[in-house]
Amino acid sequence: MYRTEPTVPRVRLRFDAEAALWAVLIFIIEVLIATVWSHHRWLRGFVGDVLAVVWVYFMLKTVIKANPRGLALVAFAVGCLVELAQYVAAVNAWHVQNRVMKIVLGSVADWMDVLAYAGGFLLVLALEFLLARCRPLPVTGTSVTSGGK
């Protein structure tokens, strides 16, 4: 009887131009939400948090080749860690002085933010499903015959 080693998911570094393009586009949308559309509270407060997880996902995907679900979970975890940091800062009365960092990281811990991050996780999975369906199938080593001529 042979003993087989468990397979470990392979994570490799690489550059994915398509993921980088998505990250740039989502970053531009996030900047517009934070500046031009900042007076729309639901857009800034909820949609911005959903897109933040999607942005982190595509930033990771730009340089890391790994299972999409795993990367999406890491992006969700980053959002949750930011939320935890906001809670710890509030409990300890710490204040972020830098205006840009205050906008990026937020300043108030809220369970709705975690719900938005979960929505971002689900949006990533949906986007990956749709993008996979739109991509052409990889070419294999088989050849196509001319049909009996």
Side-chain angles (χ1 to χ4, degrees):
M1 189 175 220
Y2 294 100
R3 183 174 178 187
T4 60
E5 294 295 320
T7 59
V8 178
R10 295 181 53 99
V11 175
R12 290 181 289 170
L13 293 178
R14 53 86 187 257
F15 178 75
D16 183 337
E18 180 183 341
L21 179 62
W22 277 101
V24 168
L25 291 173
I26 293 167
F27 180 77
I28 291 169
I29 293 169
E30 286 279 35
V31 168
L32 290 172
I33 288 173
T35 56
V36 177
W37 302 312
S38 64
H39 57 281
H40 296 290
R41 292 181 59 86
W42 64 271
L43 189 63
R44 169 126 168 72
F46 192 80
V47 176
D49 287 343
V50 169
L51 289 178
V53 170
V54 179
W55 178 73
V56 169
Y57 170 79
F58 280 109
M59 288 294 293
L60 291 170
K61 186 177 178 183
T62 297
V63 295
I64 300 171
K65 182 177 177 82
N67 180 310
R69 270 184 279 154
L71 283 181
L73 277 173
V74 170
F76 173 71
V78 167
C80 290
L81 285 173
V82 168
E83 211 60 31
L84 179 63
Q86 289 173 355
Y87 174 76
V88 169
V91 167
N92 293 302
W94 298 336
H95 300 284
V96 176
Q97 300 301 321
N98 184 303
R99 184 172 183 254
V100 173
M101 290 304 291
K102 193 180 286 190
I103 290 171
V104 170
L105 296 177
S107 57
V108 178
D110 185 0
W111 281 107
M112 286 301 290
D113 291 349
V114 176
L115 183 63
Y117 301 148
F121 169 78
L122 294 174
L123 181 57
V124 164
L125 297 181
L127 281 172
E128 281 297 337
F129 176 77
L130 293 172
L131 289 172
R133 290 181 56 102
C134 293
R135 288 187 187 107
L137 293 174
V139 178
T140 62
T142 61
S143 62
V144 177
T145 60
S146 61
K149 285 190 176 182

